[in-house]
């Protein structure tokens, strides 16, 4: 069973430190892991289109329209971490803060990547990547060793490539949208 503590213990193993019983323990390792966990997890989720993080939503139009350029504004879901696509890929949009601005009307069907907080739903390679990212974030504070940080950085690069490759293989390739510019060539 994957948990914050098990991920942080993997990070501790990479750093060469002892393990912790719980992420809320009162020792330097647990405190540093607890401090790094959420920001590092969120950045790792946002950094790549992870399949386990994909989601869909139907958005209602906001009551206030944007001041200029766009006709409609839509609030993004509370668990939104990265935008993927509109149902109709030919339409343009802009993300501004936590709003999606577009000329499309409601209801608006979107695909996005959500903030996943249940570690049991993480892909095993994402868990390994997250442990490497946490190790990289805490290694200097725990070891004062630049060489150890460089080793973790090097290993982290391999894990990122492997995780992204496996994640990409599991996704169905998307067909490019045929817009007027492409169709006129036929």
């Amino acid at each position: 069973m994957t948990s914050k503590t098990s991920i942080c213990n993997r990070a501790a193993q990479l750093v060469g430190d002892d393990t912790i019983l719980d992420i809320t323990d009162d020792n330097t390792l647990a405190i540093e892991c607890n401090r790094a966990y959420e920001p590092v997890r969120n950045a790792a989720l946002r950094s790549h289109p992870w399949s386990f993080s994909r989601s869909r939503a139907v958005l209602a139009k906001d009551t206030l329209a944007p001041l200029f350029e766009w006709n409609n504004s839509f609030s993004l879901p509370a668990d939104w971490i990265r935008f993927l696509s509109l149902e109709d890929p030919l339409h343009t949009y802009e993300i501004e803060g936590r709003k999606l601005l577009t000329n499309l009307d409601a209801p608006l069907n979107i695909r996005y990547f959500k903030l996943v907080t249940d570690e049991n739903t993480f892909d095993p390679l994402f868990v390994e990547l997250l442990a490497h990212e946490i190790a990289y974030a805490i290694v200097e504070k725990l070891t004062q060793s630049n060489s150890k940080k460089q080793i973790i950085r090097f290993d982290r690069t391999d894990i990122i490539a492997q995780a992204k490759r496996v994640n990409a293989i599991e996704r169905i390739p998307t067909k490019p949208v045929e817009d007027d510019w492409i169709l006129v060539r036929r």
Side-chain angles (χ1 to χ4, degrees), residues 90-108:
L90 290 178
H91 285 87
T92 57
Y93 65 90
E94 182 177 347
I95 303 291
E96 196 170 274
R98 296 202 51 91
K99 303 281 186 184
L100 187 145
L101 309 178
T102 183
N103 290 330
L104 292 171
D105 211 0
L108 188 65

Side-chain angles (χ1 to χ4, degrees), residues 32 109 145 175:
E32 290 304 313
N109 298 326
S145 170
K175 184 178 178 184

Side-chain angles (χ1 to χ4, degrees), residues 8-166:
C8 287
N9 278 330
R10 174 65 179 130
Q13 181 183 22
L14 293 166
V15 170
D17 208 331
D18 291 331
T19 58
I20 55 175
L21 294 176
D22 192 79
I23 195 167
T24 59
D25 288 350
D26 188 23
N27 60 55
T28 305
L29 174 60
I31 290 168
E32 290 304 313
C33 282
N34 201 13
R35 185 178 294 146
Y37 187 86
E38 283 189 31
V40 170
R41 178 203 58 208
N42 294 355
L45 282 168
R46 190 162 162 75
S47 72
H48 183 71
W50 303 103
S51 297
F52 71 89
S53 178
R54 284 180 150 212
S55 194
R56 297 167 189 245
V58 178
L59 304 180
K61 186 168 59 173
D62 293 343
T63 53
L64 293 174
L67 294 176
F68 56 89
E69 189 178 354
W70 303 101
N71 295 335
N72 298 310
S73 172
F74 297 85
S75 293
L76 292 164
D79 63 354
W80 172 87
I81 200 154
R82 180 178 173 174
F83 190 74
L84 177 58
S85 67
L86 294 173
E87 181 180 39
D88 185 350
L90 290 178
H91 285 87
T92 57
Y93 65 90
E94 182 177 347
I95 303 291
E96 196 170 274
R98 296 202 51 91
K99 303 281 186 184
L100 187 145
L101 309 178
T102 183
N103 290 330
L104 292 171
D105 211 0
L108 188 65
N109 298 326
I110 67 164
R111 290 184 184 95
Y112 69 102
F113 296 97
K114 65 182 178 180
L115 173 63
V116 181
T117 57
D118 180 2
E119 291 82 12
N120 290 308
T121 62
F122 289 170
D123 181 278
L125 284 171
F126 180 80
V127 170
E128 188 65 13
L129 169 65
L130 184 54
H132 275 76
E133 294 286 3
I134 292 169
Y136 188 75
I138 67 174
V139 66
E140 198 166 337
K141 175 81 172 179
L142 297 175
T143 66
Q144 289 80 40
S145 170
N146 280 337
S147 62
K148 188 71 169 171
K149 187 170 187 171
Q150 292 306 318
I151 291 168
I152 292 172
R153 180 174 171 240
F154 181 75
D155 290 346
R156 188 179 112 222
T157 304
D158 287 344
I159 294 296
I160 291 169
Q162 181 183 8
K164 288 181 177 183
R165 185 173 47 254
V166 169

